[in-house]
Each structure stands twice: as structure tokens, then as C-alpha cells.
Amino acid sequence: MQLYRGMDVGTATPTEAEMGGVAHHLLNILDPSESFSAAAYRARAIPVIEDIRARGRIPVLCGGTGLYVNALTRPLGFAEPGDEALRQALQAVADGPGGRRILHDRLRAIDPDRAARLHENDVRRVIRAIEAHQLTGRTAGERAALDREREGDYRGLLFAPDWPRATLYERIDRRVMEMMHLGLPAEVDALIAAGVPMTATAMQAIGYKELIRAREGFITLDEAVGLIQQGTRRYAKRQLTWFYADPRVQWVPAEERSAQDIAREIKERLQVNGHSVG
RNA sequence: GCCUUGGUAGCUCAGAUGGUAGAGCAGUAGACUGAAAAUCUACGUGUCGGUGGUUCGAUUCCGCCCCAAGGCA
């Protein structure tokens, strides 16, 4: 979400001061009305990474979700671009009576393994799986096998801060309050004034969708703040679940330590792994 | 002070002609291959306000008490 312009407060996009002279890439490169995807992210990130490496530096990927991290550090080829018409047709099937079951059965017929891994209620993934099969003529397993033969993925070292859950949640609650004081509501107003459609990916962002509901009078501002805090806590938990399951992740204790101290530890671990960092 | 209606899971509530209770939300855990700050899945023991009584058995019926809201004085 930091890729979108005009969402600096709500996405905690680093300020000039916070960047401290270190070059940051791919921030504020998208119009909030644009849609985006993990594959598009991969396509945009690779040239940047190559450029940094050509200069003899080590790129640092910061933030984001597990899928986006894996888009660069795992052999994920991603099928072909989605076909909007097909996607809508499948969605129409899903919306009909018993549609979810019908859709899931259809996937089972063409890609049983993939179907077995998806719950029929996870309509978004079922649609994508059918779409990917129709566009490539291959099952997910076959596509993954092809991906594994491909070059071009990065062997990253993954670090994640390890906070006690209570501390993590307190920090989240506090940060949301801070965002409100820094002008998150005004930022939301500006996006709406700029005509960003409610259906845009950017409008799904935590902090924005809740304040829009408050703006429309469905909930109070206080309720919106509570929902933003809750949504952020849940999001953080989902990230934790993702990274717990990734054996590559090295957890770095964060409680009662300064950012500098944590950074120093990560740097030491990098050197142990044979990297040199300036 | 009297009357009425309530007091059941963290919250809002449902329910059992007496056989120790269940939904939504919250919470917790998990999944995730071109929407990912998205999407999806699983998980429900709590002195049924307190205390006496009736009963084989009471949270359910009866008495008294406490608390809350409304009404009458």
C-alpha cells in the first residue's frame, strides 16, 4: 500500500527524515486508482534490485506481505495476466444459488490437487485457479514444476522483529492514534475528492475503508478508530502466521531495544552468512 | 418506599412444560502461487445475580435479598 501515492499517513510511508539519506525505491509509484498484483510487483522490483546489485550493493526489502516477499524470493512464476471478462463470468457463477460449490466442482474437474487445497468458500482463489488453468492449460502443480526450473529468483535472508504479543498490540493501538493526529482523515478526504473509486485496491487499506464508513455516517469516528486498531492487530497476526511457517525467517528479539540495536544484530547475522554490509 | 421489566460466554442477546445451556460479534489458532492492509478455515464450561425452599434433581418453579433501567409517589 506504500506503493500508492497520497496515502503517506495511513500506510506509514517513511518520511525524508526517517529515510536518513538512504535511497528508498518503489514508494509512491502508483496512482490510488490503479490495481496491482504480486506479479506486477515482481516485474517492477527486479530491475531495481538488478540496478542496486550492479552497483555492488545489497538491496534490502522492507515491509509487505508474505506473498510479495515470496514473489521475489521463491520460484513463483505466476500464470498469465487475469482475464477480466472470464473473472467476472466466474464471479457471476459464484453468486448464484449453490454457485460456490459449482465453481469448486469445476476446478476439481480440471485441477483436483489445487481444488483439494482450496475451500469452496475461498471464492477469490477458486476463481483465480480456474482462470490460471484456462489461460495456461496447465495445473498448478505443473506450473510450479516449470517455475522451479526457471532462473532469476533471489536467495534472501529473512529477518522479522519478535515482539511479545501484548507489546505488539499496544504499539499498534498507539500508532493508529498517532495516524489520526497526523491527519489520516484529511488524507481520506483528499483521496475521495480526487475521485478514487471505492472499489480500488487502495481503498481496501486498513484505516481508509473504516474512515470512509465513518464519513458516510455508518459509524462514529471513535468506532472507526477502534476498527482500524482491530484490523491492524489482525493483519499483524496474519503476517506472524505466514512468517512462522517460513523456516527461512530469523526472528530478532525486539522488546526493550532500540531500532539501532536491532539493526546491529541483523547486520551481524548477515556477516555470519558471508555478506558484507557497508 | 411501591410497581414493572431485566440480571445467562469478554460484549449484545436467545433458550430449556425442571434433567447443569447456544448464536452473532470479540478473541485464539491456521491457510495463502497475478485482488494479499485482501480472501478464507477451525475453535464455545459459563458459580445461567445471591441465598433459602419445593423436588430424586433447580440456572428453569416459589420466597427473600442485591444490582440496573423505566414508571408511580
Side-chain angles (χ1 to χ4, degrees):
Chain A
M1 290 294 178
Q2 294 183 336
L3 313 204
Y4 287 109
R5 279 186 288 273
M7 301 173 70
D8 291 348
V9 173
T11 67
T13 301
T15 62
E16 284 294 326
E18 286 166 340
M19 291 189 212
V22 176
H24 284 57
H25 304 271
L26 299 180
L27 295 177
N28 299 322
I29 56 166
L30 298 174
D31 185 272
S33 300
E34 290 180 70
S35 62
F36 204 57
S37 70
Y41 170 68
R42 176 188 166 87
R44 298 198 64 151
I46 286 177
V48 175
I49 291 171
E50 287 310 316
D51 178 57
I52 294 169
R53 294 176 86 204
R55 301 195 318 260
R57 313 295 300 242
I58 296 175
V60 175
L61 274 59
C62 184
T65 59
L67 179 63
Y68 275 55
V69 171
N70 283 356
L72 289 167
T73 62
R74 290 281 195 197
L76 301 187
F78 298 110
E80 299 301 307
D83 181 317
E84 201 49 46
L86 174 60
R87 194 172 279 192
Q88 276 171 19
L90 293 172
Q91 183 65 55
V93 173
D95 292 340
R100 295 177 168 199
R101 173 63 56 79
I102 292 167
L103 217 54
H104 195 261
D105 286 347
R106 197 183 288 187
L107 176 62
R108 191 176 6 251
I110 56 177
D111 191 344
D113 291 341
R114 184 74 182 126
R117 304 208 53 156
L118 293 177
H119 192 280
E120 67 179 48
N121 285 345
D122 202 348
V123 175
R124 184 175 286 200
R125 286 201 176 79
V126 173
I127 287 178
R128 173 58 195 160
I130 293 172
E131 178 185 278
H133 185 272
Q134 297 210 358
L135 292 165
T136 63
R138 293 190 172 87
T139 66
E142 290 164 352
R143 276 179 273 129
L146 286 174
D147 287 344
R148 263 179 253 119
E149 295 168 8
R150 240 194 25 229
E151 300 272 336
D153 296 299
Y154 301 104
R155 284 195 355 264
L157 288 168
L158 273 52
F159 298 96
D162 185 15
W163 297 95
R165 189 64 62 86
T167 308
L168 176 65
Y169 286 178
E170 279 164 27
R171 289 170 59 89
I172 285 170
D173 290 349
R174 218 176 316 127
R175 191 180 75 163
V176 170
M177 291 308 298
E178 229 168 278
M179 286 177 174
M180 292 300 291
H181 294 310
L182 288 170
L184 182 53
E187 203 167 72
V188 172
D189 292 345
L191 289 176
I192 290 168
V196 178
M198 295 303 167
T199 52
T201 303
M203 289 309 199
Q204 297 178 352
I206 298 169
Y208 298 84
K209 55 173 177 278
E210 295 84 357
L211 284 177
I212 287 167
R213 296 235 306 146
R215 229 173 158 274
E216 292 171 345
F218 291 112
I219 54 175
T220 67
L221 200 57
D222 282 347
E223 286 169 338
V225 170
L227 288 172
I228 293 168
Q229 291 171 325
Q230 178 184 86
T232 308
R233 279 184 245 120
R234 288 170 158 179
Y235 171 48
K237 170 56 176 77
R238 267 178 270 133
Q239 288 181 312
L240 288 174
T241 298
W242 185 292
F243 291 120
Y244 286 151
D246 189 334
R248 300 172 300 170
V249 171
Q250 299 185 44
W251 294 90
V252 183
E255 176 83 324
E256 313 228 318
R257 298 176 72 187
S258 68
Q260 290 73 17
D261 196 31
I262 295 168
R264 189 176 329 115
E265 178 173 343
I266 291 174
K267 209 161 134 184
E268 282 165 12
R269 294 203 199 177
L270 279 170
Q271 281 156 352
V272 167
N273 282 277
H275 295 271
S276 64
V277 182

